[in-house]
Each structure stands twice: as structure tokens, then as C-alpha cells.
Amino acid sequence: MRYQGREVDIEGRVRLVMESALTARDRVGVQDFVLLENYTSEAAFIENLRRRFRENLVYTYIGSVLVSVNPYKDLEIYSKQQMERYTGVCFYDIAPHIYALSDNAYRALRTQRKDQCILISGESGAGKTEACKKILLYYTITCPTNDDFAAIGGRLLQSNPVLEAFGNAKTLRNDNSSRFGKYMDVQFDFKGAPVGAHILDYLLEKSRVVHQNHGERNFHIFYQLLDGGDDNLLNTLDLQRNPQNYQYLVKGNCPRLSSVSDKNNWKVVVKALSVIGFTEKEVENLLNIIAGVLHLGNVQFGEGEAGETYITTEAQMSNLAKLLGVDGLALREALTHRKLTANAEEIISPLNFEQAESVRDALAKAVYGRTFTWLVQKINELLAPKDILNYNRKSCCVIGLLDVYGFEVLHHNSFEQFCINYCNEKLHQLFIDLTLKSEQEDYEIEGITWEMVKYFDNKIICDLIEEKHKGIISILDEECLGPGETWDASFLEKLEDTLSDHPHFVTQKSANGKTRRVMSREEFRLLHYAGEVNYDVNGFLDKNRDMLNWNLKEVMCQSDNPILRHSFSTGEGIYHKGPGMVATKFKNDLKKLVEILKSKQPSYVRCIKPNDAKQPERFDEVLVRHQVKYLGLVETVRVRRAGFAYRRTFEAFLQRYKPLCPETWPNWHGSLEDGVSILVNHLGYKPEEYKLGRSKIFIRFHKTLFITEDALEAKRPDMALALQTSWRGYRERSKYQRIRHAVIVIQSAWRGMKARRRAKRRRHAAELIRRFIKGFIYRHEEYCAENKYFLDHIRYSFLKNLRKNLPETVLDKSWPMAPPLLAEASDHLRRLHMRNMVRKYCRRVQPEWKKQMVHKVVASELFKDQKDSYPQSVGRLFLDSRLEQEQISLKVIQTLGNDKVQYGVPVIKYDRRGFKPRPRQLLLTNTFAVLVERTKIKQRIDYAALTGISLSSLSDGMVVLHLPSDDVKQKGDVVLHCNHVIELVTKLSMMATKVNYVNISPGSIKFTVARGKQGIIDFVRGSELKVSKGKRGHLLVTAPRIDNT
């Protein structure tokens, strides 16, 4: 079938087109190892890798297999623009890339509706985890969206830092080595949008929790918590920042990494847990367990005289019990005693010192391992498709991502390395089988004779490890379950007795003299496909049993921590024989994994580590050669090149190369097979260079393809010229015909529409004229059908004119003239409009301005045309007070008590005798006024006692407050001068409700002096304001003239 111009074969792979990559082969090597000249040479293979590595071309194909070399530096090839460049593009059209492989698998999933898987393999530090991240990021960015896509995409990406924190560690070869195997199924709906994911984990290296080799570290999460957790969190967990204080973190002697920021990674992990959907309580329980493991490592034991063991670190035990949520006494008893069952009776026996330490470490490994399993299960719950009703497994497909630990050959290899290398053996066997099977099926379907390629079949090694009753795992399980005491040495002896004749198994006893000198008596050697590995049997039995005392399991089952309670199910507290063995469980898990992978269409990423120093631009040929060998890359090239290096369907081959033959260019109308036969005969292909199958052509030699491609490149200019000429002529003719036809259609339609519109307007105009004339004739009659249109027009015209000429302010008294017919309606509308304007104006007035207007109105009633200084005060706002709060003495305010000062102003008080000026403050309250001298109230004037307020008509600021002459509390009228006399008198008269008591005298004012005597203030005009003592004891006030024009 076809997919966006690219061919998809029956297996769902996007084939071709590697021809476009041939032009750059001389400068940076070939993009596909299948096209190597000397494809059987390992040196030529490595040289091609080196040349591309130096040019920062870290990806190369072996057919559909992607080879990736870790550059150990950031390359600008992973941007969103690069993703878009590879989206929907044929697999071989542009440079090799992890995105091309990802897009190829995705398009095969969409077109064939068949599950896909991407197998990522390689040595530790070769970049497997990063490759998995890049694939996930590509699907997150480029796949179609749906309602839940943003959340699913974020959770998919954020699951990586969480799993890395809990499952990765620093090893001698890799600062971020995966210490567990991971297989993730990304689930897509029928639209191609991710809807969920599911993760399977394999064999977490739990022994790393309690022991690390020199130069290695424990799992990342311990260091991230200590370095990145805030002080409050560490105090809650009773932790200290220094990793050296914890026994489980000091054995590798590597607390810090220069290339890693534990503090920053902690922030990433905390954010990721939140994005994935973990609750705060779940994170708290998780961190309690992590801290509990650290405290458990610091639990120390002592040994009594009778050999009994006791705990010497009570503080650690208290913290441990609190963090794990278990009973402290029960935990202490379980760490120092063992519960056995004999004849249906429970026997509790004490542990010796070594046994107690082993039990402690076993508990730490069990707690961490089961917590990691819970973490993966919880992530699976949060990544599961949310819309269960609309989720149908049959309508959805998955892309599986397999990221497992690489083949490991360490200085000291133990049970963990044995399982890891066994896993790599199985996956290598799967890779070889699927690759050969695919080739054989292709040749058989097409009827091509298959030339068998010799390669190493590692099935013999897999059988050596997993065969029933005779394999290493079966012997290991038999030894673990055997009666009585069993030892690692007895296991090795059984291996020697059973497997001594096997060609891939060696012990010191069966080895030759040279090998015997480099092997220990406690080791056995397996000849893996990737090389020879010596395994130390010490610890094999204990690690395979992975046993935990049943009384410890009972304690954990009763934990208050829901994670531990779930991980240690209550059924585990019941003693029973025959615990599941780790190696057997791992073998069964691998079997299921292989079945899963075989059910899917595979794609391969083979990762290569260029050097052990993790340095950019350094290519260690010895190290690379070793990896090329055990990954079987040269064998893969040989398989791809066996018989035929290149294959294409007849249709695709003819479509690409038909310009090279006059008989097939530009179109071939016969059968595809005949067309291909004519084409290859014209090109001069020799019979040994190609074969024609049932639907494909197979080209044996790469030179044949190069020559054909070069001929096509030389032909392209002539092809382009011919195509351009034909296309331009066709395009212009078609354009002219379309334009001519469009013009005719538009002209006809336009002329008809114009004529119809003109006739319609004329009919309408004639009708309107008749109705208007008839209405004018009957305009004085009652409203009827004859004058209805005319009168409605008159009303409409008046209202339209009125709308445009409505008064805009309440002061505008204009109004359009109305026809007699609408005189009454016009008056009514005028009143409504005026009322509406007044209402709007009143609504816009703020309370402050309303108060100001009230005061101004009162001032106008009092002083307009009465006092010369009034016009100047009109444009000035009346203030709430002329005194600041701090200008009024606190003592005076306290004396006034609940009577709040409403207004204050500075004044000058003139004595009744001698008229000596004295500065005062006049304070007005709601019921009285007071004259204040600094901090002392000199005089109180009750508003009820106030008999009048007198002012002159001139521009002076004099004011006289008249008081009753018979009031013994008062000493006569009060004579004041104020610069704000208009404001003062207005506020005073309103607060005292004495507006009608304000008197304005044009010449003089009489006032009462003490004991009934009268005083007089004379007012005259002058050049400036002046207050002085005049003749006959009068007070003379000279007021300046004010020009109010």
C-alpha cells in the first residue's frame, strides 16, 4: 500500500529510499552499512563508524537497524524543527536519526494497525536510556492531540526522572546506569494519539542498596533527598545532609559527582511526582521509606557473652520504627531472632552477630525492592487510559520500548551480572532469529534462492543457562531448595559435575593450565556471545533465595505506612515452604517478554559506547570493536547483504528509474514485471547482478545500484527541463481556459443581476411615489390606509431629525420644531428627555461633590452680591479642614472626648479691650465650637447660644460671633479674623443651623463687650488690609479693593 508517497511492505516497514543518501558517501562514509564496499570487514565497519563520528553523525543504518554512537555532548539535532523534518518522511530519504526510526514505527502502526516495538540494546553508558527518552519526546510532540493528550504526554515524559531516581545509580562505567530492566508499552487510539502507557520492570539490583563497589554509588534518590531536601523535610525524617553519616552510602566512597547536581535533580523528581499525579500523602509515605532504609543501615548490633545479639543503636531504632510505621519492640525482636515452625509449633531462636547483620540487609533490600515495585505499579495506574468506556484494546495499538541493562563484564561478577548477561543472551538470540526469519520469509515469498549465512547461534548458551534440569538456573534452584545446609561451593561442585563437558562452561577444575592460573576456585566461566565472563559463586544462593524472615514480614504487614502494608501483603506473614527463586522468576519474566516482543513488529537501536572516559570526540577502537563484535553488527550486515543488498517492489523501482529508458518514459502501460525487465535490459544489468521475484526486484551488488543512481542523477536536468516545459504549457493553457470560462460566467451573471435589480428598483420607486401622493392628499383625515404611509413617514422623519438634534445638557433649551401632527408627542418627549438628562446628571455626581455643592449653594445664598470677596471664593473648593491632624493638640482632642472635630481653621482673635491680636485655632464640632491656644481650650461657644454672625460687605476677613449678654460664662461677643471667612461662616452657619442669623453690614458692626458695653468695628476701603485701633475706641478695619470684573 502507499502512505503519503512512500511504500509500505506487507510487514509494515517503510522501505527505501536509500538512493538519496548515496551522494554523500565519499565524505562521511555510507549512511547504511549494507552499502559498504568491504562489508565483511570488521575494520571497514569500524572505520565507517569513526568517519561519521568525527563529523558528529552519530546515527547509521544497517538496513532498518539503527546504530547509535554516544557523542557525550549536546548536538543540535533534537529540536522541534528536527522532529518536524522527520515527521512523515521516508525512512531513507534523509540522514539517519532516532526520529526517523520512531516515525517509521509509528507510521507502520497507523497503516498496518499492527503493534510495534523498538528494542534498544548496548553496553552500560552507550546511551540506551537517552535514546528511549528521545523516542518518547518525539511521540509526545508530533503525535495527534486529543482532550487528555497534554496530561498523558506530560506524565509519560515525567515518569523517566522518577524511575531514574529510584532505579538508576552511578557505576564505574556510567554515571546514570539503569539498574533494572524496563519495557514500556505506549498505547495509541485509532486516531494515532497516545492515550496511556504501561511499564514492566525486570530484576532491580537490590544488592546495591546495602553494598556498592569502590567508585560506585547507591541509587540516586538517596543522594538527591539529602542534598536537595529542605531543612524542614530533613528534620522531619531525622536525616543529616552529609551522606558519609549513613553506612549504606559510604561503601562506594563516592558521595558526590561533578557531572551531576543532586540538588537540581531532586527538584526535577519532586515536580515529576506531582505532574504524574502522586498525592502529597503518597510522596510523604514514599520518602519515609527511603529515609527508613538509611536509618536501617545505621542499626548496629552487639554480641553478648552467650552469643546472643542485641541492638546498640536505640536512637536509630526509634527513628526507624517511626518512619516505617511499625511497632518498635516487634521490629527489634524480628531483627535479632528468627521464627521457625516445627511440628505445627513456632520456635523462636536468637540470631548470631553475622546473621543479624544479614537479616538487617535483607530487610533493607526487601523494603526498597518492594517499594520500587509499588512505584512502578502506581505509575502504571496513573498512565492507564482514563476513558475506559471508549478505550477498546482491539481498536488501539501499542509501541513497545525496551531499555534493558547492557552486557556487563566487571572485575568482580556476581549473581546480578549473571542475570543481566543472561537477559542480553536472550535478546541477542531474539534479534538474530527475527532478522534471519524476516530475510528468509522475504526470499521465500518472492521465490528467490536463499544462500545461508553462517553466524554464531547463541541458543547453545541460552540452553546452558535455562534448560530444565540441566541448566545453571535449574541447578541453582535445586541447590537452594535442597535439604540441610547448602553452600555456594556445593553449587559450584554440582555445576562442575553436570556441565564440565559443555563447550561454553569452564571452571578451574576443567580449565587448561593458562586459564586455570587466572581463575579462582570459587569462579566459573561462561563463554558468552559477547565474550568470556568469570562469575564468583559467593552469594549466588542467598541472592537467588532472596529470603526474608517470616517474623519480619509479619511486622511489615502491620505497618501504618500503606505502601509497606500493600507491598508486604498479609498472606506473606504465613509461614510456608518453597519460596520463589529470583533466577527462575527472572527466567519466566524473560520468557513472557520474548513472547511480547515476538508478537510485535520489531525495530532495533544498537547503542555503542565510543570510550570509557565519557569524553566527546574520543573514539576508542578497541572498545568499539568489542561492542561491534558482541552486538553482532557485522553479522547483521552480512545477513542484510546475503544474496542481495537491495530490494524494491516493481512499482517503486519502475517509478523511480523509468526516465532512464525511452520505452518506459514517461509512462509504461504494460505489466509491471515486463516494464522492469525492459528497464534493466536497457541499463545493461547482467544476470548475476539481479533477480526478479514475484513482486520485487533484488539487486545483488551495491555497485550496480550506485551506477544506476549516478545515471539517474545525470538524467535529472533533462527530466527537469522536459517536465518544466510540459508543465508550464499545460499550466498556462489550463489557466487561460479557467479564466475565460470564469469571465463568461461572471459577465452573464452580472448582467442578469443588474437588469433584475434595476427593474425591481423601478417598481418599488413607482409604488412609493403613488403611496406618498395619496397620503399627502388625505393628510388631514383620520389615520387610515390612504394616509398611513405619508403620516408614518412624517413621524419617522421627525423622530430621525430629533435623534440627531437632541439637547446634550440640562442647560440647553433648544428643541427641534415639530409638525402640528406631533406637537403633543414632541412636548411629552421633551419632558422625558429633560427628566432623563437630569437623572443621569444626578447619578454622576459623587457624594463628595454633592456635599461641596450644598456648601457652595449656601455660600451663594449668604454672600452673593453681599460681600466683595465672595466672587473669588466661588472657584475654590471648600476643604474638610484647614488644619492638619498633627496641628491639633492631642491634649485638646482628648479633652473633647467623643466630640470629633469636624472643621478647623487658624484665626486671629482680637481682645475686647485694646483689640490686641492673638493667634488661635477655631475648631468646630457637631454641637459647639472652641477657641484653642496651642494645647489649651480658651473658650467654648455652644451653637444653641449663638445669637448671630456678623460680617462686613468688604473684602476683609473679619467675623463677629454674637453671644447672649446675660450669659455669665461668656465675656461678650467674639471678634475674629480669618483668611477663609466665606468657608468658615458657611460651615459654621450650617453646622449650627444659623444660616438665617448671618448679617452682612456695609459700614460698621456693633458687638457686645463684657458687662453690657458696646463696641464698634468700622470698615473702610483702602489699598491693603489693615486692622488698627481707631477714634473713640473703635476698631478700624481697612479692606483692599478687589476687581471682580
Side-chain angles (χ1 to χ4, degrees):
M1 63 178 296
R2 306 289 295 179
Y3 180 81
Q4 295 185 1
R6 285 166 292 280
E7 178 203 356
V8 183
D9 67 7
I10 60 171
E11 296 179 350
R13 296 178 184 170
V14 178
R15 291 284 185 182
L16 200 72
V17 184
M18 56 184 153
E19 297 92 341
S20 60
L22 302 178
T23 56
R25 62 183 180 270
D26 296 328
R27 182 172 63 86
V28 294
V30 296
Q31 295 184 158
D32 193 329
F33 283 107
V34 174
L35 302 179
L36 271 177
E37 179 76 22
N38 190 4
Y39 68 92
T40 61
S41 170
E42 186 178 89
F45 187 99
I46 295 175
E47 178 60 25
N48 191 64
L49 268 184
R50 187 205 311 273
R51 292 170 67 181
R52 295 181 63 77
F53 181 74
R54 288 175 177 174
E55 296 289 337
N56 291 327
L57 300 174
V58 296
Y59 295 115
T60 312
Y61 292 138
I62 305 178
S64 60
V65 178
L66 180 68
V67 179
S68 171
V69 183
N70 193 342
Y72 288 119
K73 63 180 180 180
D74 293 330
L75 299 178
E76 300 297 327
I77 59 174
Y78 301 108
S79 63
K80 186 176 181 181
Q81 290 75 15
Q82 287 287 335
M83 295 182 189
E84 295 172 350
R85 181 187 175 201
Y86 282 90
T87 301
V89 177
C90 186
F91 191 53
Y92 296 102
D93 275 353
I94 53 180
H97 202 289
I98 190 73
Y99 293 159
L101 185 83
S102 305
D103 185 70
N104 187 33
Y106 177 73
R107 286 188 287 113
L109 174 137
R110 293 294 309 279
T111 56
Q112 295 295 315
R113 305 303 302 168
K114 184 175 182 180
D115 291 347
Q116 305 289 311
C117 65
I118 301 176
L119 310 184
I120 307 172
S121 59
E123 188 173 310
S124 178
K128 301 185 297 299
T129 302
E130 288 301 317
C132 185
K133 291 180 184 177
K134 294 294 187 295
I135 295 172
L136 280 178
L137 181 62
Y138 178 82
Y139 291 145
T140 304
I141 298 297
T142 62
C143 289
T145 60
N146 58 21
D147 295 339
D148 298 325
F149 173 72
I152 291 295
R155 290 170 182 168
L156 277 174
L157 295 179
Q158 294 302 325
S159 64
N160 277 316
V162 174
L163 292 176
E164 287 182 12
F166 286 85
N168 289 22
K170 193 267 183 191
T171 64
L172 295 176
R173 295 190 173 189
N174 187 2
D175 289 346
N176 187 33
S177 176
S178 297
R179 307 318 299 161
F180 71 105
K182 180 179 69 174
Y183 175 77
M184 174 186 287
D185 269 337
V186 182
Q187 300 160 346
F188 297 83
D189 62 11
F190 69 97
K191 299 178 182 178
V195 294
H198 186 80
I199 299 171
L200 298 176
D201 65 295
Y202 299 96
L203 194 65
L204 177 71
E205 188 186 14
K206 295 183 290 185
S207 61
R208 183 169 293 272
V209 175
V210 300
H211 176 77
Q212 308 91 43
N213 294 327
H214 183 76
E216 297 188 348
R217 298 207 309 175
N218 209 320
F219 293 103
H220 293 325
I221 187 62
F222 295 110
Y223 307 93
Q224 292 171 358
L225 173 60
L226 296 181
D227 197 15
D230 56 48
D231 293 336
N232 292 334
L233 176 61
L234 296 185
N235 290 335
T236 303
L237 301 176
D238 295 310
L239 294 177
Q240 301 175 7
R241 290 202 181 275
N242 188 2
Q244 300 290 344
N245 294 335
Y246 301 97
Q247 294 300 314
Y248 284 163
L249 303 183
V250 299
K251 296 183 180 181
N253 196 23
C254 185
R256 294 283 187 272
L257 288 179
S258 59
S259 61
V260 175
S261 172
D262 292 320
K263 187 174 184 179
N264 292 338
N265 288 341
W266 168 256
K267 296 178 181 178
V268 173
V269 171
V270 172
K271 180 182 177 182
L273 288 170
S274 175
V275 172
I276 294 173
F278 283 82
T279 64
E280 293 183 0
K281 188 62 178 177
E282 289 172 338
V283 174
E284 178 185 345
N285 293 332
L286 191 60
L287 296 182
N288 285 342
I289 296 174
I290 299 303
V293 172
L294 292 178
H295 286 293
L296 181 58
N298 285 358
V299 172
Q300 301 297 320
F301 301 95
E303 192 170 11
E305 296 179 357
E308 75 280 2
T309 303
Y310 59 91
I311 295 174
T312 61
T313 51
E314 294 298 329
Q316 296 292 342
M317 281 299 301
S318 176
N319 293 336
L320 177 61
K322 180 184 69 173
L323 292 171
L324 297 184
V326 297
D327 180 69
L329 294 177
L331 180 60
R332 181 182 290 103
E333 179 73 13
L335 288 173
T336 56
H337 293 77
R338 178 171 53 189
K339 182 187 296 186
L340 301 175
T341 300
N343 297 325
E345 293 184 2
E346 290 188 354
I347 301 174
I348 298 178
S349 63
L351 301 174
N352 60 33
F353 185 83
E354 291 77 10
Q355 290 174 336
E357 287 190 331
S358 298
V359 168
R360 176 199 62 194
D361 292 344
L363 177 61
K365 292 187 291 184
V367 167
Y368 191 85
R370 299 186 186 213
T371 300
F372 183 79
T373 302
W374 173 89
L375 180 67
V376 175
Q377 293 173 351
K378 185 63 180 180
I379 292 176
N380 284 335
E381 291 178 10
L382 297 172
L383 292 180
K386 299 303 180 185
D387 193 355
I388 301 298
L389 295 177
N390 294 329
Y391 176 75
N392 185 354
R393 182 64 185 88
K394 294 183 179 179
S395 65
C396 294
C397 295
V398 302
I399 295 180
L401 300 177
L402 179 64
D403 174 18
V404 297
Y405 11 59
F407 194 88
E408 289 191 351
V409 185
L410 307 179
H411 179 71
H412 175 79
N413 301 288
S414 186
F415 179 77
E416 291 81 10
Q417 282 68 45
F418 172 76
C419 293
I420 288 172
N421 294 340
Y422 165 52
C423 175
N424 279 269
E425 287 283 359
K426 290 292 291 182
L427 293 178
H428 183 70
Q429 182 188 19
L430 176 67
F431 171 75
I432 293 298
D433 288 346
L434 290 180
T435 303
L436 289 177
K437 182 180 178 182
S438 175
E439 295 291 331
Q440 288 175 332
E441 286 181 353
D442 202 10
Y443 290 134
E444 290 175 2
I445 291 172
E446 295 296 324
I448 303 298
T449 303
W450 165 250
E451 298 179 5
M452 293 300 297
V453 176
K454 294 182 179 180
Y455 65 96
F456 172 66
D457 187 356
N458 67 331
K459 184 177 185 300
I460 187 174
I461 303 177
C462 294
D463 291 342
L464 168 64
I465 297 173
E466 66 184 10
E467 188 177 5
K468 286 185 178 181
H469 309 303
K470 297 180 181 180
I472 296 176
I473 293 178
S474 295
I475 297 173
L476 179 61
D477 288 351
E478 181 181 348
E479 192 67 13
C480 289
L481 296 173
E485 293 289 339
T486 55
W487 309 94
D488 295 318
S490 63
F491 164 62
L492 183 58
E493 290 176 0
K494 282 195 175 183
L495 290 178
E496 291 175 340
D497 295 339
T498 308
L499 305 173
S500 58
D501 296 333
H502 199 285
H504 291 272
F505 178 84
V506 180
T507 62
Q508 190 189 48
K509 182 177 179 180
S510 62
N512 56 33
K514 183 178 179 180
T515 305
R516 188 175 298 160
R517 286 193 295 270
V518 297
M519 286 187 65
S520 167
R521 293 183 179 180
E522 298 174 341
E523 291 181 339
F524 67 90
R525 173 179 293 182
L526 292 184
L527 279 61
H528 288 284
Y529 78 97
E532 301 173 350
V533 183
N534 294 343
Y535 297 101
D536 190 337
V537 296
N538 288 323
F540 258 62
L541 268 63
D542 288 340
K543 292 178 180 178
N544 186 45
R545 292 190 186 102
D546 193 26
M547 292 186 65
L548 189 65
N549 289 346
W550 295 110
N551 45 343
L552 270 177
K553 292 184 179 181
E554 290 176 348
V555 172
M556 292 296 109
C557 287
Q558 298 171 5
S559 171
D560 293 334
N561 191 311
I563 298 177
L564 290 177
R565 194 167 57 249
H566 175 271
S567 301
F568 292 85
S569 57
T570 55
E572 297 220 29
I574 303 173
Y575 180 82
H576 66 276
K577 289 186 177 182
M581 297 302 163
V582 173
T584 299
K585 181 180 182 300
F586 185 58
K587 180 182 74 172
N588 295 333
D589 288 344
L590 274 182
K591 182 179 179 181
K592 294 178 182 178
L593 175 63
V594 170
E595 292 175 356
I596 291 173
L597 297 178
K598 284 185 176 180
S599 68
K600 295 176 171 55
Q601 182 68 46
S603 301
Y604 304 96
V605 180
R606 310 294 255 178
C607 299
I608 292 179
K609 184 178 182 179
N611 60 80
D612 280 327
K614 293 168 280 194
Q615 294 179 356
E617 301 179 3
R618 178 179 171 184
F619 193 88
D620 187 341
E621 184 174 340
V622 175
L623 178 63
V624 172
R625 179 178 288 108
H626 174 69
Q627 295 173 79
V628 169
K629 178 180 179 181
Y630 80 70
L631 287 174
L633 298 184
V634 176
E635 293 175 346
T636 305
V637 176
R638 291 176 58 208
V639 170
R640 295 293 184 184
R641 284 287 298 265
F644 303 94
Y646 177 81
R647 70 210 64 192
R648 288 292 300 277
T649 62
F650 291 153
E651 181 183 3
F653 186 83
L654 188 62
Q655 182 67 26
R656 182 171 182 83
Y657 296 113
K658 66 181 180 180
L660 300 179
C661 176
E663 296 182 47
T664 58
W665 174 259
N667 294 301
W668 172 257
H669 299 288
S671 67
L672 294 177
E673 185 174 2
D674 293 341
V676 173
S677 298
I678 293 174
L679 177 59
V680 296
N681 290 333
H682 179 80
L683 293 174
Y685 283 14
K686 297 179 180 180
E688 64 271 14
E689 292 181 340
Y690 76 97
K691 291 287 184 183
L692 295 181
R694 295 186 178 92
S695 62
K696 294 181 181 179
I697 179 174
F698 295 81
I699 299 177
R700 185 179 299 276
F701 305 117
H702 64 283
K703 286 185 178 180
T704 305
L705 179 63
F706 289 157
I707 293 172
T708 306
E709 189 65 23
D710 291 341
L712 181 62
E713 290 295 327
K715 187 70 175 177
R716 287 188 189 280
D718 296 337
M719 293 166 51
L721 182 60
L723 290 174
Q724 288 174 351
T725 302
S726 300
W727 169 249
R728 286 169 182 162
Y730 170 76
R731 183 183 62 187
E732 295 302 321
R733 286 191 299 273
S734 299
K735 182 179 179 181
Y736 169 75
Q737 293 295 337
R738 288 195 304 272
I739 293 175
R740 183 174 180 275
H741 177 70
V743 167
I744 294 174
V745 171
I746 293 173
Q747 288 176 343
S748 301
W750 176 248
R751 291 191 185 105
M753 184 179 66
K754 283 181 62 178
R756 287 189 294 273
R757 285 182 177 178
R758 189 182 305 113
K760 184 177 180 179
R761 286 196 300 271
R762 287 176 178 175
R763 288 193 298 271
H764 183 64
E767 178 67 21
L768 289 181
I769 293 172
R770 284 195 296 269
R771 292 169 64 186
F772 197 85
I773 295 175
K774 199 170 186 179
F776 180 78
I777 296 173
Y778 290 93
R779 66 184 181 278
H780 297 300
E781 303 292 334
E782 292 293 333
Y783 189 81
C784 59
E786 286 74 11
N787 62 8
K788 174 181 178 181
Y789 177 78
F790 180 79
L791 297 181
D792 288 345
H793 176 74
I794 295 296
R795 293 189 183 96
Y796 174 77
S797 299
F798 170 71
L799 293 176
K800 187 175 181 181
N801 179 54
L802 180 61
R803 179 186 176 188
K804 295 180 180 179
N805 298 282
L806 284 173
E808 296 181 358
T809 65
V810 294
L811 301 179
D812 187 358
K813 304 301 182 182
S814 62
W815 190 261
M817 181 66 69
L821 175 67
L822 301 174
E824 182 180 355
S826 176
D827 293 340
H828 186 60
L829 289 174
R830 185 173 186 176
R831 288 193 300 273
L832 289 176
H833 181 65
M834 182 59 66
R835 188 182 304 168
N836 185 47
M837 286 195 299
V838 171
R839 185 182 295 109
K840 287 183 178 179
Y841 180 80
C842 293
R843 287 179 179 175
R844 289 198 300 268
V845 176
Q846 300 294 328
E848 296 80 3
W849 285 102
K850 185 175 182 180
K851 179 180 177 181
Q852 190 75 216
M853 291 177 64
V854 170
H855 287 175
K856 288 293 184 178
V857 169
V858 173
S860 175
E861 294 175 353
L862 294 175
F863 302 108
K864 185 177 181 181
D865 299 330
Q866 298 291 325
K867 190 167 179 64
D868 292 349
S869 59
Y870 170 72
Q872 289 183 328
S873 70
V874 172
R876 298 173 185 171
L877 296 176
F878 288 174
L879 302 183
D880 292 338
S881 179
R882 293 290 177 176
L883 294 174
E884 299 293 337
Q885 187 68 27
E886 57 270 13
Q887 291 179 292
I888 303 174
S889 172
L890 181 60
K891 183 178 180 180
V892 172
I893 295 176
Q894 292 174 347
T895 304
L896 294 176
N898 295 329
D899 296 313
K900 302 297 182 182
V901 177
Q902 302 298 326
Y903 178 76
V905 64
V907 298
I908 297 176
K909 177 180 179 298
Y910 289 93
D911 290 347
R912 300 170 185 80
R913 294 186 179 86
F915 302 112
K916 183 177 181 180
R918 299 185 185 276
R920 296 285 188 269
Q921 292 178 346
L922 179 60
L923 306 180
L924 304 183
T925 68
N926 289 326
T927 57
F928 60 86
V930 292
L931 281 172
V932 177
E933 179 186 6
R934 295 183 182 177
T935 63
K936 185 178 180 181
I937 297 177
K938 299 295 291 183
Q939 187 174 355
R940 170 174 171 151
I941 305 170
D942 292 322
Y943 295 153
L946 190 63
T947 60
I949 305 172
S950 297
L951 302 90
S952 73
S953 61
L954 303 183
S955 61
D956 60 277
M958 299 300 294
V959 59
V960 178
L961 305 180
H962 299 283
L963 299 171
S965 57
D966 57 349
D967 190 349
V968 296
K969 295 181 181 179
Q970 305 294 342
K971 300 178 181 180
D973 297 339
V974 181
V975 180
L976 303 174
H977 179 273
C978 179
N979 292 331
H980 309 283
V981 66
I982 303 296
E983 179 179 298
L984 170 61
V985 173
T986 302
K987 287 181 176 290
L988 178 60
S989 63
M990 292 180 66
M991 295 177 70
T993 62
K994 302 287 185 177
V995 175
N996 297 328
Y997 290 73
V998 177
N999 300 312
I1000 300 176
S1001 303
S1004 62
I1005 298 175
K1006 294 181 180 181
F1007 62 95
T1008 303
V1009 186
R1011 300 175 184 174
K1013 296 183 179 180
Q1014 294 287 329
I1016 298 176
I1017 304 175
D1018 295 324
F1019 297 92
V1020 296
R1021 298 184 187 275
S1023 59
E1024 61 181 6
L1025 178 65
K1026 183 177 180 182
V1027 180
S1028 60
K1029 190 174 183 180
K1031 297 179 181 181
R1032 294 178 292 179
H1034 293 190
L1035 180 63
L1036 179 62
V1037 178
T1038 304
R1041 298 179 181 275
I1042 297 177
D1043 186 6
N1044 293 324
T1045 57

